[in-house]
Amino acid sequence: VEDLSAFLDAITDWPNDFHGQHRKALPKGLRIRLSTESPASPTAPEYQEAATKVANLLEELGGQVTPAPWLDIEIDEFLVLWKRLLANAPHLIESRLQPITLWLRTAGKKIKKETATKTRIHLQQEVLEWFGDADLWVSPTMAIKPPKIGAWKHEDPETSFHKVLGMGVYTAAFNVSGQPAISIPMGFCRDGLPIGVQIAGRPGSDALLLQVAHAIEEAVGGFRVPFPR
């Protein structure tokens, strides 16, 4: 977290002093919501356990944790933005694109700017209303474990896209709303894959997220853990 704080200070063009703020003590009584399941994809049990562990640590540090359901929005609404963004990506050699990327880009060329803008504003409002009066929202970073290389190579692009959705169901909302979010490492699964837990905050609460991540890092004795053999 110290490295991240220094990096953010280096790339921003206004004085935030993230590096100086990240060690501040956490405010007491933070309103924290916890979700371990998404309606869009089943979540690996080890990811759920890690998110619950982080929520429990924050409760021990003075937070008020409340379990709550994850955002339930039609994936097709997010797809409008994904497609439009890829359609506008410059300097792509389409003959070299992976099938999913080409499928998204081709479909995106049919979406008008006005439609994408209207969808973005609507989704942003939906996310912020769902987030409500929470100070923080804790969840797994991903729902599914990374697939093996080539796992869906025989599937059509649309089918492959929907199978991979579990890797983004917890993170996509905050890309749309503009809220800060951080993924912290919480060890490894039994099969040796790393586990991430996402913590999201209100708009503009970047410094608070760094304080929270640093407090957890201290509580677990550092984020560097032995790799399972």
Side-chain angles (χ1 to χ4, degrees):
V1 177
E2 183 175 19
D3 289 342
L4 174 59
S5 301
F7 175 73
L8 289 174
D9 278 336
I11 66 171
T12 51
D13 57 0
W14 64 90
N16 279 306
D17 189 25
F18 289 128
H19 193 257
Q21 295 186 67
H22 83 279
R23 291 186 179 276
K24 289 184 177 180
L26 286 184
K28 299 297 181 182
L30 288 172
R31 295 182 295 267
I32 302 164
R33 304 288 185 269
L34 168 66
S35 294
T36 59
E37 295 182 273
S38 165
S41 174
T43 302
E46 289 167 290
Y47 293 176
Q48 296 185 43
E49 293 165 8
T52 301
K53 177 181 177 180
V54 168
N56 291 340
L57 286 171
L58 290 173
E59 195 165 44
E60 292 173 9
L61 293 169
Q64 300 173 353
V65 177
T66 305
W70 190 252
L71 179 68
D72 190 4
I73 288 182
E74 291 295 326
I75 296 300
D76 286 345
E77 291 188 85
F78 282 102
L79 257 178
V80 170
L81 302 184
W82 274 320
K83 289 175 179 178
R84 175 70 187 184
L85 285 170
L86 277 171
N88 288 338
H91 311 307
L92 291 182
I93 302 174
E94 294 193 350
S95 62
R96 294 187 177 183
L97 295 180
Q98 292 187 15
I100 291 179
T101 309
L102 182 60
W103 169 70
L104 291 168
R105 181 173 171 83
T106 302
K109 292 178 180 179
K110 302 174 184 177
I111 298 172
K112 295 181 179 179
K113 179 181 178 180
E114 295 76 14
T115 300
T117 300
K118 184 178 179 180
T119 301
R120 179 187 60 77
I121 293 172
H122 167 69
L123 286 174
Q124 183 180 47
Q125 292 172 341
E126 287 277 306
V127 174
L128 291 173
E129 287 177 12
W130 159 76
F131 201 89
D133 64 353
D135 296 304
L136 304 170
W137 207 294
V138 177
S139 73
T141 299
M142 299 198 307
I144 64 172
K145 295 184 179 182
K148 291 184 177 181
I149 294 173
W152 303 317
K153 64 182 179 181
H154 298 302
E155 303 281 6
D156 64 86
E158 186 171 1
T159 300
S160 297
F161 178 84
H162 283 279
K163 285 189 174 182
V164 82
L165 277 177
M167 299 181 74
V169 292
Y170 290 111
T171 55
F174 306 120
N175 288 331
V176 173
S177 67
Q179 293 170 253
I182 188 169
S183 177
I184 58 174
M186 292 301 291
F188 294 88
C189 297
R190 285 179 287 275
D191 51 10
L193 295 170
I195 299 174
V197 173
Q198 177 179 250
I199 307 172
R202 295 169 175 268
S205 65
D206 304 61
L208 174 62
L209 282 188
L210 293 170
Q211 292 173 33
V212 170
H214 179 257
I216 295 172
E217 186 176 21
E218 293 287 295
V220 300
F223 286 143
R224 294 181 178 178
V225 295
F227 185 81
R229 299 294 181 183

